[in-house]
Amino acid sequence: MKLFGTDGVRGLAGKKLSANLAMKLAMAAGIYFRKHSVTNKILVGKDTRKSGYMIETAIVAGLTAVGYDAIQIGPMPTPAVAFLTEDMRCDAGIMISASHNPFEDNGIKFFDGNGDKLGEEIEAKIEQIYFDDELVESAQKTGLAIGSAKRIDDVVGRYIVHIKNSFPRELNLKGLRIVIDTANGASYKVAPTVFSELGAELIVLSDEPNGNNINANCGALFPQALASEVKRLRADIGFAFDGDADRLIVVDEKGEIVHGDALLGILAAHLARQNRLRGGKIAATVMSNAALEDYLAKSKISVERCNVGDKFVLEKMKECGLNFGGEQSGHVIFGDYAKTGDGLVSALQVSACLIQSGKKASELFGALKPYPQLLVNLKINEKKPLSNLAGLKELEEELNAAKVRSLFRYSGTENLIRLLLEGKDERVIKTKMAQVEEFFKKALA
């Protein structure tokens, strides 16, 4: 059994992610972090799911059982937990959230004392401890060595100040009509406060969480309601966050959803014009459209590609000494202000870019037109190593000769292979995709 996926531990709350699993995982994490302990404190935050109560209680029980002091801060965005872990000098941070998943699911993400997501090597060590029953049993404390738990409700102010400091001091949001959708999630208090304090004329959607309405036909996964309201209210721009607020979807004044790669490209070029783009490069995943590279090349900015997942974007940024990167899904990382994707930081940077450009949002982001892309999820019987498939190399060479970019990768959770083709001619892509599907149906039957 493997616990950790691409972004922490995630699953159906009460089943795959049970109270027992959460408690034992917290014990294992506590045992690992104790080796590097400085303050003997671990921060615990969560989103607005009903199951968060169960999992939070189990995690606190696990941490205190192995001698750690737990600091509970309640509903808070994932990037806030990352920031506050470092700011409050904790040994580690834990976020209870399944991000954009439906409310039935939940998840557990870990941050180290610097507010960085854990690498796969550390996750593997925690997993190894988790399955060592003898070690977990022997690490439990008694008497005064048992840890304590404390709930703090006012740390949100620290994060709000931090977020506002990411916005240029010489600017404000007065004169901008902005609609935001907080997905009935972790940003339902923070986001309206930040935008209001900076002077925006603000309309807020989906800010009444009840435990089971997080991400329900709202937020970053369902931006249609936001788009409709932006257009109806003649707003200048709209921002949708997901359940834990590490993702941002932007809607222009016409009610059109801005493509994630257009968001990355326009923001990167804006940073470069202000001499704020470190290294003359950005980090983006293999999923990003080739139009992003072509657009940025005009400004002498190159793109460093990495695997899908914001933690891999961050790893690439660190490796190359960069301060900007992201995914087309809406995870945007401004390394000068955040250790992970932060929807609020991104929204404020978009707002600053909009003000300083003097353009309407549709004009600003319409400058980057993604090339046609076709993505097919093909059901398969067996996940054979792609490198062993006879004829695949020749197929890829043929696609390359036709000026079609290809990306083939297996799903991490299902018996699917994801087939992505991209090029400037949509008809060519459709023809080639039929050929690609036929190839994989035979090769993976």
Side-chain angles (χ1 to χ4, degrees):
M1 176 184 178
K2 189 175 187 298
L3 293 177
F4 287 90
T6 55
D7 195 14
V9 178
R10 191 178 296 185
L12 179 63
K15 290 293 184 181
K16 181 179 179 182
L17 186 51
S18 65
N20 285 338
L21 185 150
M23 183 171 68
K24 191 176 178 183
L25 182 61
M27 289 179 180
I31 294 167
Y32 172 80
F33 287 116
R34 180 164 299 289
K35 299 175 185 177
H36 315 282
S37 178
V38 177
T39 63
N40 199 52
K41 296 186 297 184
I42 291 182
L43 194 73
V44 182
K46 61 182 180 179
D47 64 22
T48 57
R49 295 163 209 268
K50 185 178 182 181
S51 60
Y53 293 102
M54 173 189 75
I55 296 169
E56 179 185 28
T57 302
I59 286 174
V60 170
L63 292 176
T64 54
V66 296
Y68 252 112
D69 296 334
I71 300 176
Q72 299 163 262
I73 60 173
M76 198 73 69
T78 290
V81 172
F83 165 73
L84 291 167
T85 296
E86 181 180 31
D87 191 63
M88 296 176 69
R89 307 294 195 272
C90 295
D91 289 340
I94 298 174
M95 178 63 183
I96 303 164
S97 174
S99 189
H100 57 274
N101 283 30
F103 94 96
E104 296 92 346
D105 290 343
N106 217 324
I108 302 172
K109 304 177 188 181
F110 293 94
F111 298 91
D112 65 20
N114 295 318
D116 292 320
K117 285 185 177 180
L118 304 187
E120 291 178 320
E121 183 180 335
I122 296 176
E123 289 178 341
K125 289 179 180 178
I126 293 175
E127 203 163 295
Q128 186 177 4
I129 296 170
Y130 176 94
F131 289 109
D132 189 336
D133 292 337
E134 188 175 331
L135 175 58
V136 172
E137 182 68 28
S138 65
Q140 295 181 44
K141 306 298 182 183
T142 59
L144 292 177
I146 295 173
S148 64
K150 182 179 182 181
R151 186 173 293 278
I152 303 178
D153 296 321
D154 60 356
V155 294
V156 64
R158 294 194 193 199
Y159 180 60
I160 288 172
V161 169
H162 168 67
I163 290 294
K164 287 170 64 178
N165 284 338
S166 72
F167 190 73
R169 286 189 174 273
E170 69 275 11
L171 300 179
N172 60 61
L173 298 177
K174 288 180 180 177
L176 276 187
R177 179 178 291 180
I178 300 174
V179 185
I180 64 173
D181 184 336
T182 66
N184 293 312
S187 66
Y188 80 102
K189 287 184 179 178
V190 176
T193 301
V194 170
F195 281 95
S196 295
E197 289 187 3
L198 287 171
E201 181 186 346
L202 189 66
I203 298 94
V204 185
L205 309 177
S206 304
D207 62 337
E208 298 180 359
N210 61 14
N212 63 11
N213 62 358
I214 185 171
N215 298 320
N217 296 312
C218 58
L221 260 67
F222 301 95
Q224 293 79 13
L226 172 67
S228 177
E229 285 299 280
V230 167
K231 194 173 180 181
R232 184 180 72 84
L233 297 169
R234 298 179 182 176
D236 296 293
I237 199 164
F239 298 122
F241 309 105
D242 64 343
D244 67 338
D246 64 351
R247 182 186 299 199
L248 173 71
I249 298 297
V250 178
V251 172
D252 69 24
E253 83 286 355
K254 294 181 179 180
E256 297 294 326
I257 297 166
V258 174
H259 193 281
D261 285 324
L263 187 64
L264 291 176
I266 300 306
L267 288 172
H270 177 69
L271 290 175
R273 285 192 297 272
Q274 296 187 327
N275 296 315
R276 293 167 53 206
L277 186 69
R278 195 181 307 152
K281 299 177 181 179
I282 76 165
T285 74
V286 290
M287 295 295 290
S288 273
N289 199 283
L292 173 65
E293 291 177 306
D294 292 348
Y295 174 82
L296 290 178
K298 299 173 187 174
S299 300
K300 295 184 170 53
I301 301 169
S302 58
V303 178
E304 292 284 343
R305 298 267 187 172
C306 62
N307 288 332
V308 175
D310 64 335
K311 74 176 180 180
F312 296 114
V313 174
L314 189 59
E315 285 177 9
K316 181 61 72 173
M317 288 168 63
K318 287 180 179 179
E319 177 189 327
C320 300
L322 311 180
N323 65 342
F324 183 74
E327 300 184 274
Q328 62 176 203
S329 61
H331 289 117
V332 182
I333 303 174
F334 286 87
D336 293 335
Y337 310 116
K339 299 290 184 72
T340 184
D342 190 322
L344 278 167
V345 167
S346 301
L348 289 183
Q349 294 300 310
V350 169
S351 300
C353 180
L354 184 67
I355 294 167
Q356 291 169 328
S357 72
K359 299 176 180 178
K360 290 186 179 295
S362 59
E363 182 185 0
L364 179 65
F365 293 106
L368 196 164
K369 301 286 187 184
Y371 301 143
Q373 254 184 10
L374 194 56
L375 176 64
V376 171
N377 291 320
L378 186 67
K379 287 187 178 182
I380 55 173
N381 294 324
E382 184 182 357
K383 293 181 180 179
K384 299 176 183 177
L386 295 180
S387 58
N388 293 350
L389 296 186
L392 180 57
K393 184 178 179 182
E394 290 76 11
L395 175 62
E396 291 175 329
E397 288 174 351
E398 183 181 334
L399 292 169
N400 190 49
K403 297 183 178 179
V404 174
R405 188 173 80 91
S406 61
L407 177 65
F408 310 131
R409 64 187 186 95
Y410 291 118
S411 165
T413 57
E414 302 173 85
N415 269 356
L416 295 174
I417 185 167
R418 306 194 193 283
L419 311 174
L420 174 71
L421 295 184
E422 174 192 295
K424 296 182 180 181
D425 191 326
E426 192 167 1
R427 290 174 300 177
V428 172
I429 292 176
K430 288 180 177 179
T431 300
K432 292 297 182 183
M433 181 59 82
Q435 180 183 348
V436 167
E437 284 188 72
E438 187 64 26
F439 172 84
F440 282 105
K441 282 177 182 177
K442 291 180 179 178
L444 301 175

